[in-house]
Amino acid sequence: MKNLTIFLFTIFALSSCGTGSSNASKEQMTGNDKDAHGCIGSAGFTWSETYQECVRAWEVGTTLKPLDSKSTSNAYVILSQDHSKVELFLPDSRSSVMLESEDHEVFVSTKYEYHVDNHHLKIDGKLTYQ
């Protein structure tokens, strides 16, 4: 009788553990973090205004290395086909930054300045990436 009681208690305990998945576990799954455009951030994808699709900036853009020895994150630049715009992908930024140019060499905004010929990126007037 004692063995039967232990057996039934064990069966009850195991059956109450549950095997179904919950919404919380789905939210934490890799690849289940699509943004508004359907880009999967955990897989390295982000929306590109230039390409109008999800891209991995390091695969399609020009890599810019940080000049500050304390920084380890690269920035990336995509030049539009008509060379009128560049799209900046910066570390710690959730979306890209678009810069325009009339001469197709220097792209500027109030905060950023990018030179196509030498791949210099200035932020707030300071050379930050190359």
Side-chain angles (χ1 to χ4, degrees):
M1 181 70 163
K2 186 176 182 181
N3 287 339
L4 181 61
T5 304
I6 293 172
F7 176 74
L8 290 175
F9 178 75
T10 304
I11 295 297
F12 174 75
L14 291 174
S15 67
S16 66
C17 290
T19 58
S21 63
S22 68
N23 286 340
S25 65
K26 284 184 180 181
E27 290 174 10
Q28 295 173 357
M29 289 175 44
T30 301
N32 196 25
D33 59 333
K34 292 182 180 178
D35 67 9
H37 295 285
C39 303
I40 301 173
S42 63
F45 288 97
T46 187
W47 180 254
S48 169
E49 289 296 325
T50 302
Y51 287 120
Q52 290 293 299
E53 65 183 16
C54 300
V55 300
R56 288 180 170 144
W58 66 88
E59 291 180 343
V60 297
T62 300
T63 302
L64 303 177
K65 304 279 185 191
L67 297 177
D68 182 358
S69 60
K70 296 176 187 170
S71 181
T72 59
S73 298
N74 295 330
Y76 303 93
V77 176
I78 296 176
L79 183 61
S80 66
Q81 281 189 330
D82 66 357
H83 297 257
S84 66
K85 299 176 186 175
V86 295
E87 185 171 12
L88 300 176
F89 293 87
L90 301 165
D92 305 325
S93 180
R94 296 199 80 145
S95 61
S96 62
V97 177
M98 298 298 295
L99 305 178
E100 296 188 23
S101 175
E102 292 181 11
D103 65 7
H104 306 280
E105 295 295 325
V106 179
F107 296 80
V108 295
S109 73
T110 55
K111 185 174 182 169
Y112 304 102
E113 182 178 321
Y114 177 70
H115 295 258
V116 174
D117 59 343
N118 56 14
H119 304 291
H120 285 177
L121 176 61
K122 293 180 180 180
I123 301 176
D124 292 328
K126 178 183 177 194
L127 183 59
T128 311
Y129 291 92
Q130 182 175 353

